Amino acid sequence: MNERPQQIPEVREPLPQVERAPLIAGNWKMNLDHLQAIAFVQKLSWGLKDVGHNYGEVEVAVFPPFTDLRSVQTLLAADKLSLSLGAQDVSPHESGAYTGDVSARMLAKLDVRYVLVGHSERRGGHGESPELVGEKARAAHAAGLVPVICVGETADDLEQHGAAAIPLAQLESALATLPSDAEFVVAYEPVWAIGSGQAATADQAEEVARALRESLRDLRGDDRAAATRILYGGSVSSQNVAGFLRQPNVDGALVGGASLKVDEFTRIVQFRKHVTAG
Ligand code: PGA
């Protein structure tokens, strides 16, 4: 009889226990002008104050269009609000003849902390390649911003390759150009769930988030894998957010449509109330 070496599945040590403060991020996309943005952020901060929200426990970020950033920054600074500011895109270049682009340094000057890279609406709608997504992440980091690397499979990908294969490949490619000490956030957003009203299940989100974290161990080592926040995005609402956040590898939500309704977004931020309520 042939003695074949058996495939022994790799059993890994558990990751070090690290507290990851959840991040609830509102991606406004191309909505709200700067006046509406000011009114919205004011209302949001009052609402969160009323419910005694602790920003140290759950970080809240808004990602307005470029034209709103200065107005929102001014408001956050004047009223000493603890909301974080994010941008929806960034140029891979430092400066120069790039008509229409906005550099990471310009964003950093506006106290922007996060920037989305690789959102499916940019990969798909603007033909952004995996290399370009990596370049944008690198440029963001170089200016002191934290890139939020968006990954996710289309419905076709899901059928052909399963849920995790494409997100894992996209993450690996985005990290290829990012220095090894860079802080980043990962947002898992199945393309079929974005804006469709058909969110992934909490189990589906956890399965891919877990695979992404395992891959981060290989790509960046255990400490970075344990510290990195992985968000779920795609039709998140106050009805389903608690289920996602209950998962051990889901550390927040990237919210599109529901982040434009101030009461609904306030409820989403308070997901802990739903979690403890079961
Ligand atoms: P959605 O969008 O919540 O409207 O599905 C999420 C996103 O595109 O980030």
Side-chain angles (χ1 to χ4, degrees), residues 7-30:
Q7 278 272 321
I8 303 168
E10 199 187 337
V11 182
R12 293 178 132 183
E13 292 289 310
L15 278 174
Q17 288 285 321
V18 178
E19 275 289 315
R20 295 184 292 266
L23 169 62
I24 304 293
N27 173 15
W28 294 1
K29 309 191 181 188
M30 198 171 72

Side-chain angles (χ1 to χ4, degrees), residues 27 29 119 121 189 193-195 234-236 254-257:
N27 173 15
K29 309 191 181 188
H119 192 282
E121 285 152 21
E189 297 205 302
I194 294 177
S235 297
V236 170
L254 182 54
V255 188

Side-chain angles (χ1 to χ4, degrees), residues 26 36 48 88 125 165 189 191 206 228 234 243 255:
Q36 294 169 319
L48 289 174
Q88 298 175 18
E189 297 205 302
V191 181
E206 169 61 14
T228 298
V255 188

Side-chain angles (χ1 to χ4, degrees), residues 18 56 64 73 108 128-129 148 166 168 171 212 216 249 251:
V18 178
Q73 178 223 6
E128 291 193 2
S129 66
V148 178
I166 300 296
L168 288 173
L171 179 63
L212 289 166
L216 284 177
N249 286 291
D251 311 306

Side-chain angles (χ1 to χ4, degrees), residues 153-182:
E153 81 289 359
T154 63
D156 276 357
D157 295 334
L158 181 64
E159 221 168 81
Q160 283 183 36
H161 313 286
I166 300 296
L168 288 173
Q170 289 174 337
L171 179 63
E172 182 168 0
S173 143
L175 291 183
T177 39
L178 195 62
S180 56
D181 63 341

Side-chain angles (χ1 to χ4, degrees), residues 184-248:
F184 56 90
V185 173
V186 181
Y188 167 53
E189 297 205 302
V191 181
W192 49 267
I194 294 177
S196 64
Q198 193 207 334
T201 64
D203 287 345
Q204 283 173 317
E206 169 61 14
E207 191 188 317
V208 178
R210 206 171 72 88
L212 289 166
R213 197 174 306 284
E214 282 302 312
S215 153
L216 284 177
R217 298 179 77 168
D218 300 327
L219 296 167
R220 284 298 197 263
D222 280 7
D223 289 345
R224 177 64 65 189
T228 298
R229 288 176 294 180
I230 300 178
L231 317 182
Y232 167 78
S235 297
V236 170
S237 71
S238 61
Q239 297 302 305
N240 60 25
V241 64
F244 293 117
L245 269 294
R246 221 180 266 135
Q247 305 303 316

